[in-house]
Amino acid sequence: MPEFDNNVPHIARVYDYWLGGKDNFEVDRELGEKTIEAYPNIVFTVRTNRAFLARSVTYLARDAGVRQFLDIGTGIPTANNTHEVAQRLAPESRIVYADNDPVVLTHAQALLRSTPEGACAYLDADLREPDQILAAAAETLDFSKPVGVMLIAVMQFIADDDDARAITGQLLAGCAPGSFLTMTHPARDVDAGQVSEMVRRLNESVAEKVTTRDHDGVVRLFDGLELVPPGVVRAPQWRPESELAEASPAALWAGVGRKP
Ligand SMILES: C[S@@+](CC[C@H](N)C(=O)[O-])C[C@H]1O[C@@H](n2cnc3c(N)ncnc32)[C@H](O)[C@@H]1O
């Protein structure tokens, strides 16, 4: 569990700074600037990440009829959180958020403003214990019906490939056929030199170390699932809403897989 210390930069708050948020301190802003200097496109990368979250939840709720979401590695609330996008389209949607970070926990109240027809819950829980997350989420979600499991910009904190595959495998094993895994992951093989310098600067200072993966490494995390077209692509290229948005730089792989 990371230290709750405002004098040490913190990954969730640095991410908030990159997004243009206000939930960050001087140390986070300093590291934010140091990393932007190494990879200026990180600012576009995090924005395309949030835009992908909104597009993929829209796809699941509107086109695939999903009404339950399990969003692990939620982050500090910002615009268009999963429940807001899902409940705008289907007010009866039920959402469980999970994060292991005390900083996120202090902001969790904003994630619990559900529509009266739906439900929102927050778990203080660790992705490395998927069975515990599934058991606790079952108080809010019905796992005999499809669930959209969201792992948005969180698998980079699981360094070992086998561990990462075991986690996605276990999570989906607990979900009904017709469930989905929605994932984004920082890319090792896009803007590689700049990204590796940015990650070096980040890992020098934060408690939660980041591991990037290449395209094949991310595809392997969808093992056993049917990839929804266009498959695993750079986040702006996944079902883009405009040519301009599609052209955005972003060192981020993104995809949605369906459990057969
Ligand atoms: C980069 S933020 C992403 C936030 C949000 N999903 C988004 O994409 O905008 C990563 C989040 O994952 C959380 N996280 C990191 N390791 C975790 C773990 N082992 N279990 C649960 N959450 C974790 C962090 O606390 C942080 O809030």
Side-chain angles (χ1 to χ4, degrees):
M1 185 73 82
E3 290 292 305
F4 196 91
D5 181 347
N6 298 346
N7 298 310
V8 175
H10 187 282
I11 188 73
R13 295 189 308 235
V14 174
Y15 178 77
D16 176 76
Y17 177 72
W18 288 333
L19 274 176
K22 292 191 170 62
D23 295 309
N24 48 71
F25 297 107
E26 190 55 37
V27 279
D28 307 307
R29 296 190 277 277
E30 274 170 24
L31 182 57
E33 283 304 320
K34 242 173 92 177
T35 45
I36 291 170
E37 186 187 279
Y39 182 48
N41 285 342
I42 186 61
V43 171
F44 291 104
T45 300
V46 294
R47 278 166 176 68
T48 63
N49 183 54
R50 294 299 303 182
F52 170 83
L53 182 148
R55 288 201 310 288
S56 59
V57 172
T58 299
Y59 166 80
L60 294 180
R62 191 187 57 200
D63 304 335
V66 173
R67 296 291 179 265
Q68 310 190 92
F69 295 84
L70 176 55
D71 179 334
I72 307 174
T74 308
I76 296 171
T78 174
N80 280 330
N81 300 297
T82 296
H83 74 288
E84 292 161 330
V85 179
Q87 292 185 339
R88 220 176 281 143
L89 292 159
E92 71 275 27
S93 298
R94 304 177 76 81
I95 293 91
V96 173
Y97 291 107
D99 204 294
N100 70 339
D101 193 315
V103 171
V104 177
L105 180 63
T106 61
H107 292 275
Q109 215 46 40
L111 299 166
L112 301 175
R113 295 193 194 115
S114 174
T115 53
E117 304 92 316
C120 290
Y122 181 85
L123 306 175
D124 183 15
D126 198 309
L127 174 63
R128 286 165 288 210
E129 294 168 340
D131 288 339
Q132 287 188 21
I133 292 184
L134 291 170
E139 288 183 21
T140 308
L141 307 179
D142 174 357
F143 281 99
S144 69
K145 297 194 179 130
V147 174
V149 177
M150 317 279 305
L151 296 174
I152 305 295
V154 66
M155 290 305 287
Q156 70 271 20
F157 299 110
I158 310 296
D160 184 85
D161 286 340
D162 292 339
D163 289 351
R165 275 203 298 277
I167 288 169
T168 53
Q170 261 170 279
L171 285 171
L172 269 292
C175 294
S179 292
F180 289 87
L181 172 63
T182 302
M183 184 162 48
T184 63
H185 199 298
R188 179 177 299 172
D189 45 352
V190 177
D191 299 330
Q194 290 186 3
V195 167
S196 95
E197 174 58 17
M198 176 195 69
V199 171
R200 192 190 65 72
R201 292 184 185 192
L202 208 53
N203 285 347
E204 220 169 49
S205 306
V206 295
E208 296 272 284
K209 308 297 178 202
V210 167
T211 299
T212 52
R213 289 190 165 84
D214 65 12
H215 181 262
D216 289 354
V218 177
V219 170
R220 278 196 290 275
L221 298 178
F222 285 95
D223 227 21
L225 305 178
E226 296 161 350
L227 284 170
V228 171
V232 175
V233 292
R234 282 194 325 103
Q237 292 165 337
W238 197 90
R239 297 177 179 240
E241 277 166 1
S242 70
E243 278 181 28
L244 191 65
E246 183 175 9
S248 174
L252 189 75
W253 296 119
V256 177
R258 182 180 180 278
K259 180 174 173 173

